[in-house]
């Protein structure tokens, strides 16, 4: 099994090399070879889907994202594939489908901070602050020194009128980067 994985990874590396050279047909062939060697090798399908999307082939890209989900056996791999599909759907402005894929991804990869943060931001953008907040907080708990998450929480809480929470997160962000003037201004603007 390890040898199969190594062969798939080798094809993936070759595909990335061809992508860097702008030889996209060869890159696509190498991504497909990686998927044939190991169908559950999610990164190859995700990269191929992104390549197809960049070539204005969204239908084929979506098929690859969905193949990644269908072929993933491990929950973590399935979650990563759902997260990638969600971001793709959101780029296509298919928000309801994208949000649902993100929700499923958070269940499959409960310790993936970025997925939880993105889901929380998406929910908040739909006016669902109370539903979004636990996901944003969970992301921050998983990655407590991530200034982007802390500033996002501060801003979202401020916009929702939760000033005590907004101040708390802004102060935590400033504690991570005490010399950051923008964070100092944010804390001051929140009365901290």
């Amino acid at each position: 099994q390890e040898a199969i994985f190594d062969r798939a990874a080798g094809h993936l590396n070759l595909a990335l090399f061809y992508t860097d050279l702008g030889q996209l047909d060869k890159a696509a062939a190498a991504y497909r070879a990686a998927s044939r060697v190991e169908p559950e090798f999610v990164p190859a399908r995700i990269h191929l889907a992104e390549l197809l999307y960049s070539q204005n082939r969204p239908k084929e890209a979506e098929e690859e994202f969905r193949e990644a989900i269908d072929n993933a056996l491990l929950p973590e791999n399935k979650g990563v594939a759902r997260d990638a599909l969600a971001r793709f759907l959101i780029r296509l402005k298919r928000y309801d489908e994208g949000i649902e894929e993100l929700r499923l991804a958070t269940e499959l990869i409960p310790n993936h901070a970025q997925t939880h943060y993105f889901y929380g931001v998406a929910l908040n953008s739909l006016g669902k602050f109370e539903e979004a907040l636990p996901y944003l907080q969970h992301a921050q708990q998983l990655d407590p020194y991530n200034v982007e998450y802390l500033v996002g929480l501060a801003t979202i809480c401020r916009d929702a009128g939760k000033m005590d929470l907004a101040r708390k997160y802004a102060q935590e962000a400033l504690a991570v980067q005490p010399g950051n003037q923008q964070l100092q201004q944010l804390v001051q603007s929140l009365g901290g």
Side-chain angles (χ1 to χ4, degrees), residues 2-3 16 24 26-27 38 46-47 52 61 68 77 83 88 101-102 116 118 121 134-135 159 164 177 181:
E2 190 174 318
L16 294 170
L24 303 183
K26 288 183 179 180
E38 177 52 76
I46 290 174
H47 281 286
L52 293 167
N77 290 344
D83 180 285
F88 167 77
E101 289 297 333
L102 275 174
H116 284 262
F118 192 56
V121 169
Y135 290 96
D159 294 348
D164 288 343
Q177 293 182 358
Q181 290 183 336

Side-chain angles (χ1 to χ4, degrees), residues 142-159:
L142 291 170
D143 190 0
Y145 302 108
N146 187 313
V147 172
E148 177 189 353
Y149 296 170
L150 290 165
V151 170
L153 270 161
T155 305
I156 287 169
C157 288
R158 177 198 66 204
D159 294 348

Side-chain angles (χ1 to χ4, degrees), residues 4-67:
I4 292 172
F5 180 83
D6 288 344
R7 282 183 34 223
H11 286 293
L12 175 65
N13 289 334
L14 184 61
L16 294 170
F17 174 73
Y18 283 135
T19 301
D20 287 344
L21 293 178
Q23 297 179 14
L24 303 183
D25 289 342
K26 288 183 179 180
Y31 288 132
R32 286 187 175 98
S35 295
R36 277 193 306 276
V37 169
E38 177 52 76
E40 192 183 358
F41 191 58
V42 169
R45 290 197 187 274
I46 290 174
H47 281 286
L48 176 57
E50 290 293 345
L51 176 67
L52 293 167
Y53 177 71
S54 75
Q55 295 176 321
N56 199 26
R57 296 160 64 184
K59 186 176 186 303
E60 293 171 74
E62 184 172 347
E63 289 170 7
E64 286 300 325
F65 282 118
R66 293 194 185 281
E67 282 290 317

Side-chain angles (χ1 to χ4, degrees), residues 140 144 147 150 167-177 187:
Q140 189 271 325
V147 172
L150 290 165
R167 250 188 315 280
K168 171 188 179 294
Y169 291 119
Q171 289 168 343
E172 287 180 24
L174 184 58
V176 174
Q177 293 182 358
V187 169

Side-chain angles (χ1 to χ4, degrees), residues 77-153:
N77 290 344
K78 199 171 282 287
V80 168
R82 285 196 179 279
D83 180 285
L85 173 62
R87 292 165 192 264
F88 167 77
L89 292 169
I90 288 169
R91 284 187 304 228
L92 294 181
K93 300 186 180 357
R94 290 165 53 188
Y95 300 115
D96 290 343
E97 294 171 81
I99 298 273
E100 177 59 16
E101 289 297 333
L102 275 174
R103 184 189 67 75
L104 294 169
T106 62
E107 292 173 2
L108 291 164
I109 44 178
N111 295 321
H112 194 261
Q114 191 177 49
T115 301
H116 284 262
Y117 183 76
F118 192 56
Y119 184 48
V121 169
L123 287 171
N124 187 66
S125 71
L126 296 175
K128 299 179 178 182
F129 170 78
E130 295 297 333
E131 197 177 333
L133 187 59
Y135 290 96
L136 297 166
Q137 290 172 323
H138 185 63
Q140 189 271 325
Q141 290 164 359
L142 291 170
D143 190 0
Y145 302 108
N146 187 313
V147 172
E148 177 189 353
Y149 296 170
L150 290 165
V151 170
L153 270 161

